[in-house]
Amino acid sequence: MKCLDTERLIGYAYRLLDEPAAAEVCGHLQECTRCREAVAQYGRLDAVLNEWHEPGPSPAFDVRVRQAVEAEQARRERWGFTGWQWARNLALASLGVLMVAGLVWLNRNHRGVDHSTLVATQQSPHAGGAQNSGAAMNVHSAPSPTRVDVTPGLHAPSQESVNNGSTDDKDTQAMEDYDLAANFDVLSEIPKGERRVAN
Amino acid sequence: MAVETDLDLMLRVRDGDAVSFEVLLRRYRLPMVSFFRRMVRDQTLAEDLAQEVFLRVYKSRERYQPNARFTTWLYRIATNLALNAIRDRRDEMSGVGDDDSDGHSILQQFASPLPNAENTLVALERAKIIRQAVESLPENQRAAVILHKYQEVDYRQIAGILNVSESAVKSLLFRAYESLRARLEPMLREGEI
């Protein structure tokens, strides 16, 4: 007679089998000594495991739980929010802060672009050479406040202007002296000085 | 007077009834503490974790939905806490494998029913061997055996607690009991210890 596998024997000993499977094992055990002995050994294991006792909670346990619950109640009454309400309010507040920060960032970024465009338009009359004049024309021909892609190096100061002193000072002075209304022809929208160069 | 079910009590706790919470505390304080004692061994930690279970039950009472048995929910919280505590303390516990720090409490447990000191010491030693055998099991097997054998939780319910299939629980229990049989074989033969 073929013995049953260990899983079925353990399952039988620890009542892990459904009714038909348990009945089948029971029938087998009546005829198989080895399997019967194995099941008896699992029964002894069950009895041995029962020898492991653990003491119950200390007398102070209930008091500690009650104190913890009372503290939780007091905390909730003090703040008036549950944990979920806290989480929800915190999420809403974080969202608000993020939106404000985003608006501030967008505003600053927008103003930064306008400033760089203005600087680009101011640099051209002081930059020497036909190349730079031509580049300046391209910028001046688009006086609208829309974003201008200022390619690095396009408006770099000439070697002459660098040698003659600080370009930053000149640029700053130029920005201060520059009168948009006076230098732009309203009809053509090309600065008068640059129009001469173009002609 | 009929005994109130856990579900009825918990629904009343949800509505703010402190007395019902007290009944649940009295009903499950011993199972919870002994479960944690077997899972993490340390008495102080076991009580801290059991307290945490009751506190979590109280905190989440308003969101309690009676979808599953109360004990499934309770033991799921407890098992997760225990497994986290075991992982947190793994290194610490490995260094005190043969420690008998809880010997005093076990001694107290056995003091009255056993007739003399020798029997007490033998019982203490046997309990220690059994405890070490259970502690040597992988975490999930240990949790499954403790729930099945000592907390008397049905394997179908254990599946809900451990969030695994019923066949997976059976597999965990088969392997766990077979390992325990092998480790405790000397004790299974009468007169060996």
Side-chain angles (χ1 to χ4, degrees):
Chain A
M1 175 175 281
K2 192 182 176 188
C3 287
L4 295 177
D5 59 75
T6 311
E7 287 195 359
R8 292 182 79 184
L9 296 177
I10 293 174
Y12 179 80
Y14 289 96
R15 297 172 298 281
L16 300 173
L17 301 179
D18 55 30
E19 203 63 40
E24 194 182 327
V25 174
C26 188
H28 175 83
L29 291 178
Q30 288 173 351
E31 298 169 10
C32 181
T33 313
R34 284 183 65 185
C35 288
R36 202 162 50 237
E37 173 51 31
V39 169
Q41 198 173 34
Y42 286 116
R44 286 198 291 277
L45 172 65
D46 196 50
V48 163
L49 290 174
N50 282 337
E51 293 180 37
W52 182 18
H53 299 274
E54 284 293 347
S58 64
F61 178 74
D62 290 2
V63 177
R64 284 174 53 201
V65 174
R66 282 186 206 111
Q67 283 174 346
V69 167
E70 282 166 13
E72 168 63 19
Q73 266 178 332
R75 190 189 65 78
R76 195 174 286 202
E77 283 164 12
R78 188 165 59 246
W79 294 100
F81 292 130
T82 64
W84 279 105
Q85 286 170 328
W86 265 111
R88 189 194 60 195
N89 292 344
L90 189 65
L92 285 173
S94 304
L95 189 65
V97 168
L98 279 174
M99 285 176 69
V100 169
L103 284 172
V104 168
W105 181 83
L106 275 175
N107 191 31
R108 283 192 177 179
N109 198 34
H110 186 67
R111 286 166 67 182
V113 167
D114 288 346
H115 176 74
S116 64
T117 308
L118 190 57
V119 169
T121 59
Q122 294 297 318
Q123 277 181 337
S124 58
H126 300 277
Q131 255 188 318
N132 281 344
S133 296
M137 275 293 291
N138 293 337
V139 174
H140 283 294
S141 64
S144 70
T146 53
R147 188 184 181 93
V148 176
D149 184 19
V150 182
T151 310
L154 187 61
H155 298 288
S158 65
Q159 190 60 40
E160 185 187 353
S161 64
V162 170
N163 292 340
N164 287 342
S166 165
T167 54
D168 290 345
D169 293 344
K170 287 181 179 177
D171 289 344
T172 308
Q173 188 60 43
M175 281 178 69
E176 286 169 359
D177 295 341
Y178 198 80
D179 183 353
L180 280 172
N183 284 280
F184 272 84
D185 185 322
V186 176
L187 294 173
S188 65
E189 292 190 345
I190 297 175
K192 289 170 183 171
E194 297 298 333
R195 194 162 34 168
R196 277 198 300 278
V197 173
N199 291 335
Chain B
M1 183 180 165
V3 177
E4 289 174 294
T5 64
D6 296 338
L7 180 66
D8 291 338
L9 290 167
M10 193 58 212
L11 289 174
R12 271 193 242 148
V13 172
R14 188 175 70 177
D15 297 336
D17 183 11
V19 176
S20 296
F21 182 78
E22 187 72 20
V23 175
L24 283 173
L25 172 63
R26 287 177 183 277
R27 193 174 285 181
Y28 288 103
R29 57 201 279 280
L30 179 59
M32 280 294 113
V33 172
S34 60
F35 171 74
F36 282 116
R37 284 276 302 182
R38 289 194 169 94
M39 287 294 285
V40 302
R41 190 198 307 177
D42 180 81
Q43 172 77 25
T44 307
L45 179 61
E47 291 202 0
D48 286 348
L49 293 172
Q51 179 186 318
E52 182 64 24
V53 170
F54 287 110
L55 193 58
R56 287 191 186 199
V57 166
Y58 183 79
K59 277 182 179 176
S60 52
R61 68 191 187 280
E62 288 158 356
R63 288 180 285 120
Y64 175 72
Q65 294 293 329
N67 299 328
R69 287 174 68 171
F70 174 75
T71 47
T72 303
W73 183 53
L74 193 71
Y75 276 116
R76 183 181 289 178
I77 298 171
T79 305
N80 289 339
L81 281 172
L83 292 177
N84 285 339
I86 288 168
R87 284 161 196 158
D88 290 346
R89 298 178 70 236
R90 185 172 287 145
D91 294 337
E92 193 185 332
M93 288 179 78
S94 65
V96 291
D98 292 328
D99 172 48
D100 198 18
S101 59
D102 55 356
H104 179 68
S105 53
I106 292 178
L107 199 65
Q108 286 178 326
Q109 186 79 15
F110 282 90
S112 46
L114 293 169
N116 57 50
E118 190 183 346
N119 283 349
T120 304
L121 289 172
V122 168
L124 201 62
E125 187 61 26
R126 287 172 70 90
K128 183 179 168 185
I129 292 166
I130 297 162
R131 188 195 69 206
Q132 286 173 341
V134 174
E135 282 178 356
S136 72
L137 296 172
E139 290 163 11
N140 273 359
Q141 288 185 31
R142 192 196 316 183
V145 161
I146 290 172
L147 286 167
H148 185 252
K149 170 65 194 154
Y150 295 103
Q151 308 302 125
E152 297 178 344
V153 179
D154 180 60
Y155 75 90
R156 297 174 193 86
Q157 205 182 338
I158 296 173
I161 293 166
L162 298 180
N163 203 23
V164 295
S165 65
E166 289 181 11
S167 58
V169 171
K170 283 185 182 180
S171 178
L172 282 173
L173 289 171
F174 291 149
R175 281 181 279 147
Y177 283 126
E178 180 55 21
S179 297
L180 289 173
R181 189 201 59 76
R183 279 188 71 103
L184 298 173
E185 197 169 14
M187 291 177 78
L188 303 182
R189 285 184 255 133
E190 277 188 15
E192 282 279 335
I193 292 179

